[in-house]
Amino acid sequence: MQGRRDIPLSDRGRAQARAWKIPAGLANGSTWVSSPLSRAVETAELVIARVVARESALIEMSWGNWEGCTLDELRAAPGGAYARNEARGLDFRPPGGESPRDVLARLQPWLERVAASEHSVVAVSHLGV
């Protein structure tokens, strides 16, 4: 779980981003924004070959005390805390972290502004978002 750790994009990730082909209208006719984490910023900038704006609402979900752990480690931990938490759905909350419901609440004002805008927006973010 990388969460909010600002882990750089891997060489494999860079190669994948460079290989993506974006339609010219989307690349040039849209406002591009990314999470402020470097792996998202670099992905966006490699895809469209220019600097993109950062949007704090797009930052990855905070995994709190579980950041740096693998999913297998969390599921194998004694006591079944992860499985019980996972069963909570949108109210799943890592210790010291955010729930998916928190992420939605954080994103909603930004999404409303984008929806009300006349401009098309491309957002580069994370799986948790």
Side-chain angles (χ1 to χ4, degrees), residues 36-102:
L37 295 177
S38 62
R39 60 190 183 267
V41 172
E42 188 175 4
T43 298
E45 292 180 351
L46 285 170
V47 168
I48 62 167
R50 69 173 187 267
V51 174
V52 299
R54 277 91 166 155
E55 173 53 57
S56 61
L58 296 174
I59 197 165
E60 175 64 295
M61 183 175 119
S62 171
W63 282 82
N65 298 345
W66 289 347
E67 286 191 12
C69 298
T70 67
L71 184 57
D72 289 340
E73 290 170 338
L74 293 171
R75 287 186 171 152
Y82 186 84
R84 282 190 308 280
N85 205 344
E86 195 171 31
R88 297 175 66 204
L90 287 175
D91 294 314
F92 167 90
R93 181 186 304 279
E98 282 182 293
S99 71
R101 195 176 304 276
D102 293 336

Side-chain angles (χ1 to χ4, degrees), residues 109-119 121:
W110 181 78
L111 291 169
E112 289 170 356
R113 285 192 306 275
V114 169
S117 170
E118 297 284 326
H119 301 90
V121 175

